[in-house]
Amino acid sequence: MDCRVVVEAAVPVYDVETPDEAVRIAISKTGELLNPDLNYVEISMGERTCPHCGDELDPAFVAADESLVALELEMSVFNVEREEHASRIARKEIGQRLENIPLEVLSVEEEASEEDAESGESERADGA
């Protein structure tokens, strides 16, 4: 089974003035730490919401020219037995390169394999 795993990372950024600047620097910093070994990991801004009212918040919190940025790191993990196995592999692979950056698995979704796609196409062809 192949899975798509999304991991949230809390990336610290220093000497910034705006949330947009913090996000750009965090994405760049994370990309440098992951490349070239994990260049297949997709990096995007995290989505945060207020726990009380549910309003959408910026992915970066800036205070005293320092920021904590929520990023989502997405990667495919192949040939796993269970979703839990896929999440452990993703956390280990990403965590080895992002030392001292907290990680949390947000989602694990099973990817459709090529065999499933081919059998689906043949079923549609037979049924048509």
Side-chain angles (χ1 to χ4, degrees):
M1 160 169 84
D2 300 337
C3 293
R4 193 78 176 160
V5 182
V6 179
V7 178
E8 182 179 48
V11 182
V13 180
Y14 307 100
D15 297 324
V16 294
E17 295 178 9
T18 66
D20 289 338
E21 180 184 15
V23 169
R24 285 194 306 272
I25 292 171
I27 289 173
S28 176
K29 174 182 175 180
T30 303
E32 288 175 8
L33 292 171
L34 293 176
N35 283 323
D37 297 332
L38 294 181
N39 60 359
Y40 49 85
V41 175
E42 296 175 24
I43 303 169
S44 61
M45 294 186 309
E47 296 179 6
R48 296 178 39 227
T49 56
C50 175
H52 301 290
C53 64
D55 286 347
E56 201 170 302
L57 301 172
D58 285 334
F61 175 75
V62 179
D65 292 337
E66 293 187 7
S67 179
L68 189 61
V69 181
L71 294 181
E72 290 182 1
L73 311 173
E74 189 173 342
M75 68 180 284
S76 292
V77 181
F78 303 100
N79 299 323
V80 294
E81 298 171 8
R82 299 182 316 272
E83 289 181 358
E84 179 185 333
H85 186 211
S87 67
R88 282 196 315 250
I89 290 171
R91 279 184 58 120
K92 181 178 184 280
E93 289 294 315
I94 293 171
Q96 285 179 337
R97 284 144 186 100
L98 301 181
E99 290 185 27
N100 299 323
I101 294 179
L103 301 175
E104 180 182 337
V105 176
L106 295 178
S107 69
V108 179
E109 296 178 4
E110 186 175 344
E111 290 184 330
S113 66
E114 289 180 18
E115 294 172 5
D116 293 341
E118 290 173 5
S119 67
E121 288 175 11
S122 64
E123 288 175 11
R124 277 186 249 127
D126 294 340

